[in-house]
Amino acid sequence: MAEKRKVIEKDALRFAMVLLASLVIAFNIKSFVRAGNLFPGGFTGLSLLAQRSAAKYWGLDIPYTPINLLLNIGPIFLSWKTLGKKFTLYSCVVIILSAVFTDILPVTAITYDKPLISIFGGLINGAVMSFCLYANATTGGTDFIAVYFSEKKGLDAWDYIFIGNAVILVTAGALFGWDAALYSIIFQFTSTQVVHTLYRHYYQDTMLVITDKPNQVYEVIKKVTRHDATVFKGVGCYEKEERNMVYSVVSRDEVKKVTDAIRALDQHVFINVIRTEQVEGRFYHRPKD
């Protein structure tokens, strides 16, 4: 009964987080993106590009929601098949609610200064994307693709997504003017850097732990992260005594938890954390659902 209540509370918190994220996404689009006539990249940028193109060249006033939902069908299917059903459902909540809020909220420009709009709008966009990822959801579109390559292929796809967004922005610049497109690149670059800074789950670090309690240290690593470890035997050059080194690769956002737990176990431990550029072979990823 207590376990069921814990799951319900977790799902309620998760829904509250994605609801708040949806409101912030819509606010950012109406207060920064629309005010600066920017194209923020991703499927949001594609939706706005299609919407503005229809209005300018065909005189059609198409709502944002159906365009955005149509573009997201493919990534939603990919996520449902590969990343998890609950993860996909919460992401769909973000996609649908943010699109509906975008259509119904009025444009409330905070400033019309395009450099400020590009920077602060990008900061908000990157922060809300990270917030969604911490809630085990995405803002849809290219985020699905980035998460897929990070989870299944072990690749950091955010920089490649940025290149794809640049193609969208070049198209927007050719159709609607280069000022908006160039400022949109600043918006997108800022957003990408914020995600890199705030969300570190897809990065790995190597931990080298010299300790007199290797088995207990391994159990701590396994309990906290579910990652495995390898113990090496060695000799301390100063005291000429046998030492044990525990080697493990963990996600970067888990390093502090592991370090604190090991220090609580062994106050004389020596820990070296090294940034890991690439991992080949099996590496445990926490499930999305």
Side-chain angles (χ1 to χ4, degrees), residues 98-138:
S98 62
V100 171
F101 289 149
T102 299
D103 278 331
I104 64 177
L105 289 179
V107 177
T108 52
I110 296 176
T111 177
Y112 288 99
D113 186 290
K114 286 191 176 181
L116 291 178
I117 289 173
S118 303
I119 294 172
F120 285 96
L123 288 172
I124 294 173
N125 190 61
V128 76
M129 287 172 63
S130 302
F131 188 72
C132 284
L133 290 169
Y134 276 114
N136 279 333
T138 73

Side-chain angles (χ1 to χ4, degrees), residues 83-103:
L83 298 177
K85 294 177 174 59
K86 187 176 284 189
F87 170 78
T88 305
L89 287 174
Y90 277 103
S91 299
C92 287
V93 171
V94 177
I95 295 167
I96 295 170
L97 290 182
S98 62
V100 171
F101 289 149
T102 299
D103 278 331

Side-chain angles (χ1 to χ4, degrees), residues 198-214:
L198 295 182
Y199 194 70
R200 301 182 178 183
H201 175 65
Y202 299 122
Y203 298 98
Q204 290 89 38
D205 282 337
T206 297
M207 299 191 70
L208 304 175
V209 184
I210 298 177
T211 177
D212 294 326
K213 303 176 180 179

Side-chain angles (χ1 to χ4, degrees), residues 122 162 169 183-194 196:
F162 177 74
L169 298 178
Y183 280 119
S184 296
I185 292 176
I186 298 175
F187 176 99
Q188 191 61 39
F189 178 78
T190 304
S191 177
T192 302
Q193 294 308 305
V194 171
H196 275 302

Side-chain angles (χ1 to χ4, degrees), residues 1-11:
M1 191 69 180
E3 186 67 25
K4 185 177 180 180
R5 182 179 178 181
K6 186 177 180 180
V7 171
I8 293 173
E9 290 176 350
K10 182 179 179 181
D11 286 341

Side-chain angles (χ1 to χ4, degrees), residues 9-219:
E9 290 176 350
K10 182 179 179 181
D11 286 341
L13 175 61
R14 195 172 174 185
F15 182 80
M17 291 175 71
V18 299
L19 176 61
L20 176 61
S22 302
L23 282 168
V24 175
I25 291 169
F27 167 79
N28 194 35
I29 291 174
K30 300 304 282 285
S31 298
F32 287 93
V33 175
R34 289 276 175 87
N37 291 319
L38 302 182
F39 298 90
F43 283 18
T44 299
L46 272 177
S47 300
L48 293 174
L49 180 59
Q51 192 178 32
R52 294 180 191 177
S53 297
K56 180 177 179 179
Y57 296 102
W58 297 289
L60 299 175
D61 186 13
I62 304 176
Y64 174 85
T65 300
I67 301 173
N68 191 256
L69 294 181
L70 182 64
L71 290 172
N72 273 285
I73 289 176
I76 288 172
F77 180 78
L78 175 68
S79 176
W80 183 270
K81 289 293 185 180
T82 60
L83 298 177
K85 294 177 174 59
K86 187 176 284 189
F87 170 78
T88 305
L89 287 174
Y90 277 103
S91 299
C92 287
V93 171
V94 177
I95 295 167
I96 295 170
L97 290 182
S98 62
V100 171
F101 289 149
T102 299
D103 278 331
I104 64 177
L105 289 179
V107 177
T108 52
I110 296 176
T111 177
Y112 288 99
D113 186 290
K114 286 191 176 181
L116 291 178
I117 289 173
S118 303
I119 294 172
F120 285 96
L123 288 172
I124 294 173
N125 190 61
V128 76
M129 287 172 63
S130 302
F131 188 72
C132 284
L133 290 169
Y134 276 114
N136 279 333
T138 73
T139 57
T142 51
D143 290 2
F144 278 132
I145 299 171
V147 172
Y148 170 78
F149 277 101
S150 298
E151 291 281 337
K152 302 301 180 181
K153 307 297 182 181
L155 300 174
D156 180 10
W158 296 106
D159 288 335
Y160 297 101
I161 296 298
F162 177 74
I163 294 172
N165 289 334
V167 175
I168 297 173
L169 298 178
V170 168
T171 304
L175 294 175
F176 297 97
W178 292 106
D179 282 355
L182 293 174
Y183 280 119
S184 296
I185 292 176
I186 298 175
F187 176 99
Q188 191 61 39
F189 178 78
T190 304
S191 177
T192 302
Q193 294 308 305
V194 171
V195 173
H196 275 302
T197 302
L198 295 182
Y199 194 70
R200 301 182 178 183
H201 175 65
Y202 299 122
Y203 298 98
Q204 290 89 38
D205 282 337
T206 297
M207 299 191 70
L208 304 175
V209 184
I210 298 177
T211 177
D212 294 326
K213 303 176 180 179
N215 293 328
Q216 295 95 317
V217 167
Y218 165 66
E219 291 299 327

